[in-house]
Amino acid sequence: MNFIEELKWRGMLHDVMPGAEEYLQKGMSSGYLGIDPTADSLHIGHLVGVMILKHFQHAGHKPIALIGGATGMIGDPSGKSLERNLLDEKTLRHNQDSIKKQLEKFLDFNSGAENAAELVNNYDWMKEFSFLDFIRVIGKHITVNYMMAKDSVKRRLSGEASDGLSFTEFTYQLVQGCDFLHLYETKNCKLQMGGSDQWGNITTGTELIRRKAGGEAFGLTCPLITKADGTKFGKTESGNVWLSKEYTSPYKFYQFWLNVSDEDAERYIKIFTFLSREEIESLITEHKQAPHLRVLQKRLAKEITVMVHSVEDYNAAVEASGILFGNATSDALRKLDEDTLLSVFEGVPQHKISKADIQQGIKAVDLLVEKAPVFPSKSEMRKLTQGGGVSLNKEKLNDFEGIINASYLLNDKYLLAQKGKKNYFLLIAE
């Protein structure tokens, strides 16, 4: 597999240095991509870089994932208007361990193969580096003029809303360049990869290697992913879409991909899956013949949910989607864990009811008219119940005076009332 060609047809290549493609075709090489450990989970904004590392390994090369423990303590001005918060070492180590577990789902770290992935942390070689050593060994090789010419620096210095650029952030490109030099000298790593906003930092590294070590190194970047409407990719109203179940449930994760636009789905399925070119082209053709079936979105959501989570999580997400939008059963509803249940019915009207009332047993009409205002009157509830239009936990309510007790509670706490086809109400017993 030609790594560069693979990235090109998938729309994952922005810039590449001359000579890089020829270098990679000579045999196995090492390449790295940096991840700043600012949280204990990656989010989908990181996924493009992770996919590039996976393609790199598939092409027979050795991927190195660099956790930026040292650079995470500084903050990178690239693409940012403000300086980021700095983290302590204990937090960084915790974040690194969590991120490695996520990366292991994508990259082969443990097979013992010659091109097995490696995880490194730049704090391990930077922590003993004194300031005097740094300016003597690194600083003298790169001029201030060279550093000032970088777009990321110029943007921060000229931005109206900016408070300027701290010396800490100004030196970031040197610290990142030092990483490249270290990996070049210790692991024969001659390629750095990253987002297009990292081009300036990457080229500082190749320049440092040229000036200090007299060697040749290369860089390539991928485009920053956007949505067709110009809004930021990976953000929802509730914030980032995380790879960790603790922050974004598999159901919400699945729904994010299922709901992307047709135009975005056509781009994303190339970037975020490992489906072949032929299969993707076939899916795109099939989708265009019947866009309302959302073939692309469904396949994209399946591939990426299985890859990030599991087949079981994907199946549960599909089943959960059916509860709200299809003819799911009471059994399917009872299988949902509490987090998924709340994710599915987020935004549905919620009413608190007394758990004691449920445990003692209460008439359905008293529960849904007096205790929770699902219906404005008993007569309306009676009429709709007789017409088969009322359900509790996805089961038709046949007797509006029937007794509702604790056996009805989902997760020992919730009761789902449905009025007509589309009106749901989540009752919370406390």
Side-chain angles (χ1 to χ4, degrees):
M1 179 179 117
N2 182 315
F3 174 61
I4 301 292
E5 283 300 319
E6 187 74 12
L7 295 189
K8 277 181 186 173
W9 81 258
R10 289 184 181 273
M12 297 172 74
L13 190 67
H14 189 269
D15 282 308
V16 59
M17 285 185 181
E21 187 168 4
E22 293 76 10
Y23 166 69
L24 291 172
Q25 288 177 311
K26 289 177 182 175
M28 192 192 86
S29 61
S30 297
Y32 91 94
L33 183 137
I35 300 167
D36 275 332
T38 46
D40 61 358
S41 171
L42 301 173
H43 53 72
I44 61 174
H46 292 111
L47 261 184
V48 185
V50 175
M51 299 298 276
I52 283 177
L53 287 177
K54 191 169 170 90
H55 282 300
F56 192 64
Q57 191 169 44
H58 273 186
H61 302 296
K62 183 181 183 67
I64 299 171
L66 182 144
I67 298 292
T71 35
M73 288 181 165
I74 297 173
D76 176 7
S78 302
K80 314 258 184 343
S81 57
L82 297 171
E83 188 161 351
R84 68 169 56 157
N85 294 329
L86 310 186
L87 304 175
D88 59 63
E89 185 177 355
K90 183 180 176 184
T91 304
L92 286 165
R93 292 296 184 192
H94 165 72
N95 292 354
Q96 174 187 331
D97 292 341
S98 302
I99 288 169
K100 183 175 184 190
K101 286 176 187 169
Q102 292 182 331
L103 289 175
E104 284 173 342
K105 291 187 175 182
F106 298 86
L107 302 172
D108 165 26
F109 284 92
N110 305 312
S111 71
E114 193 179 3
N115 71 326
E118 277 189 59
L119 185 84
V120 295
N121 186 334
N122 62 6
Y123 184 70
D124 293 332
W125 59 82
M126 293 298 294
K127 63 184 175 185
E128 305 299 337
F129 214 163
S130 75
F131 179 69
L132 289 176
D133 284 340
F134 186 78
I135 57 175
R136 182 171 60 87
V137 175
I138 302 297
K140 71 176 184 177
H141 293 286
I142 302 292
T143 66
V144 170
N145 291 17
Y146 180 87
M147 294 169 71
M148 292 284 287
K150 299 295 182 184
D151 286 342
S152 58
V153 172
K154 287 196 283 193
R155 273 197 305 271
R156 283 293 301 275
L157 289 174
S158 62
E160 290 179 14
S162 173
D163 292 328
L165 185 71
S166 71
F167 177 74
T168 306
E169 286 190 297
F170 181 59
T171 56
Y172 184 95
Q173 59 178 289
L174 286 184
V175 178
Q176 188 166 325
C178 185
D179 290 342
F180 201 174
L181 176 66
H182 176 85
L183 293 176
Y184 174 87
E185 292 177 336
T186 60
K187 298 187 182 292
N188 195 32
C189 177
K190 296 182 180 179
L191 176 69
Q192 184 183 168
M193 299 167 278
S196 58
D197 60 341
Q198 292 296 309
W199 185 251
N201 294 334
I202 291 171
T203 52
T204 297
T206 60
E207 185 68 4
L208 185 60
I209 289 167
R210 185 184 71 79
R211 293 187 185 186
K212 186 174 186 306
E216 186 178 37
F218 306 95
L220 72 80
T221 61
C222 60
L224 296 180
I225 306 302
T226 57
K227 286 158 71 172
D229 62 7
T231 56
K232 190 166 183 181
F233 167 75
K235 289 276 190 182
T236 65
E237 288 179 9
S238 54
N240 283 320
V241 179
W242 299 92
L243 305 197
S244 167
K245 291 182 186 182
E246 292 176 24
Y247 303 137
T248 301
S249 71
Y251 168 78
K252 273 191 176 177
F253 185 85
Y254 169 77
Q255 284 292 324
F256 173 83
W257 300 102
L258 195 63
N259 289 316
V260 300
S261 70
D262 288 353
E263 189 178 338
D264 286 336
E266 195 170 320
R267 285 190 304 133
Y268 295 168
I269 201 161
K270 295 174 186 174
I271 296 169
F272 297 109
T273 78
F274 290 95
L275 297 176
S276 69
R277 189 171 192 164
E278 295 72 28
E279 189 164 4
I280 287 174
E281 286 172 355
S282 172
L283 283 166
I284 290 170
T285 301
E286 185 184 348
H287 181 90
K288 285 180 176 176
Q289 289 169 351
H292 64 283
L293 296 179
R294 301 180 73 75
V295 169
L296 275 180
Q297 285 91 338
K298 287 176 182 175
R299 188 60 185 275
L300 170 66
K302 177 181 181 177
E303 292 290 325
I304 200 161
T305 304
V306 169
M307 183 167 58
V308 170
H309 295 295
S310 68
V311 174
E312 292 74 22
D313 285 323
Y314 161 72
N315 289 335
V318 171
E319 202 163 355
S321 300
I323 287 167
L324 195 54
F325 307 113
N327 298 314
T329 63
S330 171
D331 288 341
L333 188 63
R334 288 185 179 278
K335 280 188 209 169
L336 297 186
D337 59 71
E338 185 175 14
D339 287 343
T340 306
L341 179 76
L342 292 175
S343 292
V344 172
F345 295 104
E346 186 178 19
V348 163
Q350 298 182 0
H351 301 293
K352 291 182 180 176
I353 55 175
S354 163
K355 197 166 190 177
D357 287 344
I358 299 291
Q359 287 168 336
Q360 290 168 9
I362 183 172
K363 286 182 180 179
V365 64
D366 294 336
L367 177 67
L368 300 180
V369 176
E370 295 174 3
K371 302 296 182 180
V374 173
F375 290 92
S377 67
K378 291 183 179 181
S379 60
E380 183 179 323
M381 181 178 167
R382 179 190 291 112
K383 185 178 178 182
L384 197 57
T385 303
Q386 288 170 346
V390 181
S391 296
L392 282 177
N393 297 340
K394 301 299 275 186
E395 287 188 349
K396 285 273 189 289
L397 182 69
N398 297 316
D399 180 3
F400 88 117
E401 289 193 326
I403 300 298
I404 308 302
N405 56 35
S407 68
Y408 280 77
L409 292 178
L410 306 168
N411 292 293
D412 198 36
K413 186 176 181 181
Y414 304 98
L415 189 67
L416 181 69
Q418 189 175 350
K419 183 168 71 171
K421 286 187 177 181
K422 297 181 179 178
N423 298 308
Y424 289 96
F425 302 83
L426 191 63
L427 311 186
I428 305 170
E430 295 181 338

